[in-house]
Amino acid sequence: MTDLVLPRAGLSGMLRSEWTKLRTVRSTVWSLVAMAGIAIGLMSIIAWAVMRQWDTAGPGSQSYLAEHPLDLILSQPLFIAQLVVAVLGVMVISAEYTTGMIRSTLQAQPRRLTVLAAKVLVFAALMLGVGEVLSFGAFFAGKVILSSHVAVSLGDPGVTRAVIGAGLYTAMLGLFSLALGAIIRHTAGAITAVLGLILIVSQLTSLLPGRWGAHVNAWMPTNAGQLVFEQAVPADSLLSPWEGYAVFSGWTVLLLAVAAFLFKTRDA
């Protein structure tokens, strides 16, 4: 029995264990397929349809797309794909509580913070890699489809930062969702919380009056984080793209700290 536990005793062993669990779960595979289908497949269909109707579009629509091609290539698909990322992030840890597997994990590795660190590192690496591959894949696919009427290049102002930022946002959103999953420990509840925050609460804060309302809206986690994959932000924006990503990162680190404390102190 000792020989079976020793390979998992350290962080490196837990990293291998968590990677094995993550890649062999069907929900992970289907989630990644869904992300690719949205980011590249759905985007390509919509972009192709827009180009087909280019001559009948109004001058305002043509001008807007020519100036903001990444809205169609990155921003709109990522707004949908982020829902898949959020659900997957929650399930990385909440599913173990649902199935009771967390007890086996903690028996193999009693150091709870090591277990949580392994989950965070493995999932962050996966989401960062997948996010960057899909964002660059979506960019080049969209560039080809739009080329007949709209020119866009990585050398254009803000484009490279936005494409890289889309992958960074994907990774951070995954960790943000994982942290909520670790805190709530109930799959349905955690998914409701993270999607409610993304789709409802973050949008409703835009209705708050005055300057303080603008600050609250700007500093909401996903509102701030999404600036990093915008090609250009409004001149009156309270945060720059990288400042917004730093705010989102700060929220995520705070939630991970809370999750680590609760993971260590609560019963499995």
Side-chain angles (χ1 to χ4, degrees):
M1 181 63 71
T2 301
D3 292 338
L4 293 176
V5 175
L6 282 176
R8 303 186 194 179
L11 179 59
S12 61
M14 283 306 304
L15 290 173
R16 291 192 296 271
S17 176
E18 290 300 325
W19 170 241
T20 299
K21 285 192 289 186
L22 186 59
R23 67 184 174 83
T24 55
V25 175
R26 282 183 294 179
S27 60
T28 301
V29 176
W30 285 113
S31 294
L32 298 182
V33 170
M35 288 173 60
I38 295 169
I40 299 178
L42 182 60
M43 180 279 298
S44 297
I45 293 173
I46 294 175
W48 176 81
V50 169
M51 291 298 98
R52 290 272 295 178
Q53 300 176 4
W54 179 266
D55 293 335
T56 60
S61 299
Q62 293 178 354
S63 176
Y64 181 85
L65 184 57
E67 294 176 5
H68 305 89
L70 293 192
D71 279 6
L72 179 61
I73 296 174
L74 283 182
S75 299
Q76 295 177 18
L78 186 52
F79 183 79
I80 302 173
Q82 70 176 342
L83 307 182
V84 180
V85 177
V87 171
L88 182 58
V90 166
M91 293 184 64
V92 164
I93 190 165
S94 67
E96 289 204 47
Y97 283 100
T98 301
T99 61
M101 185 183 293
I102 191 67
R103 297 185 185 91
S104 300
T105 299
L106 295 178
Q107 286 177 351
Q109 173 53 275
R111 297 188 182 95
R112 296 191 173 204
L113 293 186
T114 300
V115 173
L116 183 60
K119 290 182 180 295
V120 168
L121 291 173
V122 168
F123 191 62
L126 175 65
M127 286 294 96
L128 180 60
V130 171
E132 294 296 351
V133 168
L134 291 182
S135 61
F136 275 93
F139 172 78
F140 288 114
K143 177 181 179 180
V144 171
I145 296 171
L146 299 182
S147 61
S148 59
H149 297 287
V150 177
V152 59
S153 168
L154 289 174
D156 295 341
V159 172
T160 298
R161 186 258 307 149
V163 176
I164 294 174
L168 293 174
Y169 175 82
T170 299
M172 194 59 64
L173 178 62
L175 293 182
F176 184 87
S177 304
L178 186 154
L180 279 177
I183 292 170
I184 298 174
R185 301 202 304 185
H186 185 274
T187 300
I191 290 175
T192 300
V194 69
L195 295 187
L197 179 64
I198 294 173
L199 298 177
I200 301 175
V201 178
S202 294
Q203 304 302 317
L204 289 179
T205 56
S206 64
L207 302 177
L208 295 174
R211 186 71 175 171
W212 71 273
H215 278 82
V216 170
N217 181 63
W219 283 67
M220 289 298 292
T222 53
N223 288 353
Q226 288 170 1
L227 294 175
V228 77
F229 61 82
E230 297 292 336
Q231 183 175 354
V233 299
D236 59 350
S237 177
L238 296 176
L239 298 170
S240 70
W242 290 117
E243 288 172 343
Y245 190 73
V247 169
F248 190 25
S249 301
W251 279 108
T252 302
V253 170
L254 177 61
L255 284 181
L256 286 172
V258 173
F261 174 78
L262 294 176
F263 193 68
K264 187 175 181 179
T265 57
R266 290 191 299 196
D267 292 336

